[in-house]
Structures are given as C-alpha cells and as structure tokens.
Amino acid sequence: MQTLPVLTLRGMTVLPGMLIHLDVSRKTTKSAVEAAMENDGMIFITAQKDPSKDNPSYEDLYEIGVYARIRQQVKLKDDIVRIMISTRRRGDLLSLRQTKPYILGDVAPYDWGEESIMDYAEQEALCRELKEAYKLYLNENPRASRSGAEQISKTKELGRLSDLIAMHINLDYQARQELLECLDLVERAEQVIRILTEEIRIAKIRDDFKSKVREEVDQNQKEYFLREQMKVIRDQLGDEEDTDSWEEKYREQLEGLECSQEVRDRIEKEIKRFVTIPRNSSENVVARDYVETLLALPWDKASVDSIDIHRAEEILEEDHYGLDKVKERILEFLSVRILTGKGDTPIICLVGPPGTGKTSIAKSVARALDKKYERISLGGVRDEAEIRGHRRTYVGALPGRFIDCLKHAGVKNPLILLDEVDKVSRDYRGDTSAALLEVLDPEQNSRFVDHYVDLPVDLSEVLFICTANSLEGIPRPLLDRMEVIRLSGYTENERFHIGKQYLIPKQLEKNGLKKKQLSILDSALKTMISSYTREAGVRELEKTVAKICRKSAKMILADGQDKVKVTNKNLVDFLGKKKHRLLEANRRAEVGIVRGLAWTQVGGDTLEIEVNTMPGDGKLKITGQLGDVMKESALISLSLVRALLPKEDAFFKEHDFHLHVPEGAVPKDGPSAGVTMTTALYSAVTGRKVDPKVAMTGEITLRGKVMPIGGLKEKMLAAKMAGIKTILVPVDNEPDVEEIEDEIKDGLKIVYASKIQTVLDTALL
C-alpha cells in the first residue's frame, strides 16, 4: 500500500501505458499536482462518478484508477496548469486520508492476476483480431485519429494493446472505466473487439444511407444531396415529416387566407415555383420570403370600427387638454366616416409646432375607433423604395413601409400615422413625396402596387393621419390631397393644466415615485412654465418635470427623505438659475430699437430690430442672417421712410444706415417684418424713442400700406409671454384675432393698422 496525492478527472478516464496532457484548473487538483511534484511526481488518477461536483468525497470517486508520474507542468493564462503525465499500472483507491487542501489517498496495485499465463497462440490470435478490427475501424471512419496507429501495430502484449486501442477510439468515460476495471485480459480484449465491431456496423449503416441517397440523386443535380439524405433518414426513422413539409404548411395557410381569386392564384403559382427551386440555391430563400410575405398580408381581413361617437369624444377629452377646435374637427371627421362607412374621407394633416400633441391625437383617434395603430416616420426619407418597396431582382429586396405596416397590423384597415410628412426629400434615388401621392390619393390607392409584392394592394380602407411642423415643406400636389388642421401653441394656463393633470402623474409613474413622495406646488409649476420653458408645446416642460422627479428619487434613496416638496423657494435647487426672463431687452424706451413678432416652426417668438446711423453717403448695411424676403423688406422700408421724411433728404445723403437683427447665427426670413423695420429706421432718423411695451407684425408696401400676415396666434402668445402690453396687427387680420381665445387676448391692447402712420403714431413716443 502507498499513500499518494489523488488527481480526480471529470468526464474522462485514462488507461495505463499512455502519455497524455491534462489541463488542471481546480484549486484541489492544482494542490495535488504540487504535492506530487515534491514526491518524484507520483500521483494517483481516478475519475469522478458525478462530473458536476467540485469537491468530491470517497463515495463520489471510482475506486479503480491508474498510477501516474508527472513529467512536465506549464502554467497557462486564466490560472490553468497543463501537465504531461505518463500512466503506469492500475491501482485501487482504498480510502482517503484528507480532502483539503488536496485529496490524499491510500492506494494499492490492482493488477493481481493480470499477468495470467496464456497460451502464446491464443494471445497472438487475439492480438491479430484486435489489430484487424482496429484497421477496419479506421477504414470505415476516415475522420478518426490515426496518431496511435503505428504504435498499435508494433504492440504485442495483449493487455497493453487493448488499452491503447481503447484510448484511440471514440468512447465515453464510463465505457473506458469498465475496461479499466476489467483485469481478465481475454475479457478486456473481447470487450474492445465488440466496441470496434459496433462502431464498424454504425459506419456501414451511414454508408448505406449515403449510397441510397446517391442512387436517387441525378448526377447533374448534386445540390439535392442534403434534402434527399434527410428524406432517407426520415424514412428509416418513420418520421411523418417529408421534404414537402414547407409546401404543405404554405398550402394550409393559403386555405385559411381571406383574399381574392387573383391573389390566391398568384400565391399558388409562387408555392409551386418555390418547391422546384433547389434548397441550397440562394434563390430558394428569396422565393420563400416572398411566399411568406404574400401569406402574411391581410388581403381581405378587416377589423370592426367602433361607431360610438360619444366614446370617441370622451377619449379625446381624457387624453388632451384644450384644443377645442381641433377636437371638434376630429369628431366631425369621425362622424362622417362612421355614417358613410367608407375610407375615402379626407386625409387629415395635423400641422403645428413640436410638442403640441399631434402624434398623441392620432393615437387617441385609433383608440376611439378601436383601430390598430401603426406609425411611419418620414423624416429624412429619400429613397423611393422606402414607399414603393424594392424589386425582387435586387439583392436584399424588401417590401415598402406601408406593406410592413399592414403585415404588422394584421388587418387591411388600420390607422397609419405619417409622421413628419414635411421632412421628406428627394435625390437621385427618386422622389419620395411623389411616391406618397399614389398612397394618399383615394382615387389610386385602392390598387396600390408595391414593387416587391407586385400585386395590387387595397389601401383605400386605411385611415391616414399626417403630421407636420409647417406646410412649407409639403409639395403642393401632396398638400392638395390633405385636409389641414392647425394646432397652435398652448397658453401658459393651458400648459399649467396639462402639466398638472397629465405630465406630473406620467413622470411620477415613469420614475417610480408615488404622489405622497413628491409634490410640486402650483406656484412652482407656474414658475417652471414662465422662467424655465419658453416653447409652443409642452415637451420642454415634460423634460423639466422629469428632471425634478429624477433628483427627487435620488433624494429619497440616497438622503433618506420620506417626502420631497417643490416650491418657488427651492425650485432653483432642482433646476438651477432661471433660463428665461421677461423683456430681456427693451426695458426702457430707446431710439432705433423696435420689437417685432415672428413665427417659427417651434411657435411664436419676439424679434428685436436695431438701426444705427453713422456718417456716410446713404448706404444701407443689413446683418443678422436675413433671407431674401427680409432684405427686400429692409430696402422697401428705407425707401418708404425717405418718402415720409422729405425734409430729411440731406440726412439720408450724409449718413449710412446699419440694420441688424440680433442672434446673427440664426437664419431669419419671412414676409412680416416690414412695419418693424420701417419703424426702426424712422426712429433712428427722427431721434424719437420707441415704446418698449409695443410689439408689431405686418408687411409694408412702398406706399405705406400694411399687409396681412400669418401665424397670428403664435405671435400674440409670444408677445404675451414676453410681457408686451400693446401689439400692432394689420387690419386685414382682424377676423383672425376674433378667433383667438380670450385667454391670450386678455391684458393685450390690440391696435389695427392699415397704414404705416398708425403704426408710427402708436409705437413712437
């Protein structure tokens, strides 16, 4: 008996007489290797019964293993040690003396009787039989390792020969363990011969499968090999699924598909074509994708729309605050659609600044009608194939976005929102807006042909709603097919109610807060609106509320506060210093500085125009990134002022004029700055100061007539937010003023002007 360190193997058994490499990673096995190296490298190796255990006990180990000597060890990366060992004779693990820091056991030789006397002829016969069987095994398994073939051919000892062959054939560790525990040389040799014979028989069966496949495959169609091989295997296994399973699956789907006879015949034709294409061909994938796309489309499957107009009104009121005229128009639209039951009602285009609720209105309409909701973002889309799809002759061809929406919705009458329709563009890949004409035209979209599908698809029952920030970017032919509904900016009162009723509860939920944990006082919310957000919509307000919620969540978790209360006094701690102040300029009356009103894509804004005079020869210099329209307005204004002040002719000849619009980095243009420029030039020439509480808008003619403008609601809203008291409006815009809510007009003195003299009399002190 001998006491040796024990190396336990997981999922592996080694046999005597081998030179092998092992990778050791466990602490206990690495400690066993180190202990063995201190004792001439001798170690005992055995296998674990359960490979999943990291710290096996005596009951978890096979008692029969092998003596071995460690010849070499190398440290690899990831704290792994690779050892080279030569295995010796068999051994019997009698007991364990310790399991930590490594396993130490009592071991005795297990080869008693192994050298039993055998007849020389009998031993030679078994050796030859083993070698012959191994040779047949190698012939039937060309991929089998031949690394030990030469050593096996030279070995004459029966026991060593059996072990060598067992280590060089594909066996699991349990089968090798049985051979390790077998001491009888004849029985061990017979076991190895049986294993080799079974492997040879399996290899021959595989060859039989291959030969059957070769007989069925034509010489010129070798690409069918894999499919036919699978067919033979399934026949042998009795599997019901055959090579026509795809075809059967598609035909079953076709039977349950609601579609016209034209579509059914086309799908039938494509299924037949798909079956004839070789499986290994790239065209097979294209054909299969095409068939699956046709089967996935809802050709005649439609959802049932809700016809409860009262429910629709409740949903719109529940989802949106204010927007009374917009809601009224939406309800009229839905009423007509419900009464007619047709999809050829006008296509709505919601136009307004960002954050005013255009997209959410479309969602509410879908909910009110019980329709599937799909959204297509058209911002920056340039490729016409995004709308019409790619032709299937192209690599990577795909259907257009509208076909994808129908597939995803599963019905032919969803609500599809076309977002940012004013941002579509065109280049060498086609005109996207022109492609949209066929989709949105009720006279054409009943047989819309996508290049990929190549079949007429009915889009007439789809409810299209478009959104845009302005009408300028929408081509006229496309705009003619839409009915425009304008969404103006919100007043401070409207934004206050939206923030209180919608935004704060929404952000509390998003940030994992409860009402009792965070409270934002009304006064703080009003300050947020007036001093931290200057916008037409409520998107910036929502971001501001979200910022407060995030800081509050941190205070609750990190600082241990039970409740956070946001007031006017501590609002600066959450949001920093105020970003916007009322009347940042024009706090006092000055010469040559006039405040105008402008419309932008994000709502209304106030715009200062400054004029300075200096000695010169009557030249006009214009700065501030002005567009062509505003440059022409400046020239007209100078001519008009000279006509109004004939006595100052000498002044005009001896002075240059510099007209500047601050924020020079921002491009500005539009037909509504004429009166503002005229007033500024008139003030600079005459030296009369301009009332800082007056703002104006309107275009001017050479004869001093004030022309009407657009975007009046946004401009008046901006004036009120800036603290303006009096605004000058073209007299032709009086009907527009009457439609504006009283909430905006309250506190504003509105002066209507038809001539420039009215403007000058009101604005100049």
PDB file of all heavy atoms in Angstrom, residues 127 145 210 319 537 652 677:
ATOM      1  N   CYS A 127      -4.495 -10.729 -30.386  1.00  0.00           N
ATOM      2  CA  CYS A 127      -3.802  -9.503 -30.809  1.00  0.00           C
ATOM      3  C   CYS A 127      -4.076  -9.218 -32.284  1.00  0.00           C
ATOM      4  O   CYS A 127      -4.344  -8.070 -32.669  1.00  0.00           O
ATOM      5  CB  CYS A 127      -2.289  -9.639 -30.570  1.00  0.00           C
ATOM      6  SG  CYS A 127      -1.812  -9.489 -28.834  1.00  0.00           S
ATOM      7  N   SER A 145      -8.893   9.573 -35.597  1.00  0.00           N
ATOM      8  CA  SER A 145      -7.477   9.893 -35.374  1.00  0.00           C
ATOM      9  C   SER A 145      -6.597   8.671 -35.647  1.00  0.00           C
ATOM     10  O   SER A 145      -6.891   7.554 -35.204  1.00  0.00           O
ATOM     11  CB  SER A 145      -7.285  10.378 -33.935  1.00  0.00           C
ATOM     12  OG  SER A 145      -5.927  10.567 -33.671  1.00  0.00           O
ATOM     13  N   LYS A 210     -25.884   6.862 -47.379  1.00  0.00           N
ATOM     14  CA  LYS A 210     -25.287   7.687 -48.429  1.00  0.00           C
ATOM     15  C   LYS A 210     -25.458   7.044 -49.800  1.00  0.00           C
ATOM     16  O   LYS A 210     -25.728   7.725 -50.794  1.00  0.00           O
ATOM     17  CB  LYS A 210     -23.803   7.911 -48.135  1.00  0.00           C
ATOM     18  CG  LYS A 210     -23.542   8.805 -46.928  1.00  0.00           C
ATOM     19  CD  LYS A 210     -22.058   8.970 -46.674  1.00  0.00           C
ATOM     20  CE  LYS A 210     -21.815   9.829 -45.427  1.00  0.00           C
ATOM     21  NZ  LYS A 210     -20.372   9.970 -45.131  1.00  0.00           N
ATOM     22  N   ASP A 319     -57.614  62.371 -23.060  1.00  0.00           N
ATOM     23  CA  ASP A 319     -56.204  62.355 -23.456  1.00  0.00           C
ATOM     24  C   ASP A 319     -55.611  63.734 -23.675  1.00  0.00           C
ATOM     25  O   ASP A 319     -54.385  63.887 -23.672  1.00  0.00           O
ATOM     26  CB  ASP A 319     -56.033  61.533 -24.745  1.00  0.00           C
ATOM     27  CG  ASP A 319     -56.307  60.057 -24.524  1.00  0.00           C
ATOM     28  OD1 ASP A 319     -56.433  59.665 -23.348  1.00  0.00           O
ATOM     29  OD2 ASP A 319     -56.396  59.309 -25.511  1.00  0.00           O
ATOM     30  N   GLY A 537     -45.166  74.089 -27.377  1.00  0.00           N
ATOM     31  CA  GLY A 537     -45.758  72.854 -26.882  1.00  0.00           C
ATOM     32  C   GLY A 537     -45.449  72.636 -25.416  1.00  0.00           C
ATOM     33  O   GLY A 537     -45.258  73.578 -24.639  1.00  0.00           O
ATOM     34  N   PHE A 652     -30.269 111.754 -45.141  1.00  0.00           N
ATOM     35  CA  PHE A 652     -30.128 110.461 -45.817  1.00  0.00           C
ATOM     36  C   PHE A 652     -28.878 110.427 -46.696  1.00  0.00           C
ATOM     37  O   PHE A 652     -28.210 109.404 -46.807  1.00  0.00           O
ATOM     38  CB  PHE A 652     -31.372 110.173 -46.670  1.00  0.00           C
ATOM     39  CG  PHE A 652     -32.577 109.776 -45.863  1.00  0.00           C
ATOM     40  CD1 PHE A 652     -33.617 110.666 -45.640  1.00  0.00           C
ATOM     41  CD2 PHE A 652     -32.671 108.515 -45.307  1.00  0.00           C
ATOM     42  CE1 PHE A 652     -34.720 110.314 -44.893  1.00  0.00           C
ATOM     43  CE2 PHE A 652     -33.778 108.149 -44.563  1.00  0.00           C
ATOM     44  CZ  PHE A 652     -34.805 109.048 -44.348  1.00  0.00           C
ATOM     45  N   MET A 677     -39.206  97.108 -39.419  1.00  0.00           N
ATOM     46  CA  MET A 677     -38.020  97.758 -39.992  1.00  0.00           C
ATOM     47  C   MET A 677     -38.298  99.238 -40.286  1.00  0.00           C
ATOM     48  O   MET A 677     -37.448 100.108 -40.040  1.00  0.00           O
ATOM     49  CB  MET A 677     -37.607  97.032 -41.275  1.00  0.00           C
ATOM     50  CG  MET A 677     -37.061  95.637 -41.049  1.00  0.00           C
ATOM     51  SD  MET A 677     -36.648  94.839 -42.612  1.00  0.00           S
ATOM     52  CE  MET A 677     -35.926  93.311 -42.031  1.00  0.00           C
TER      53      MET A 677
END
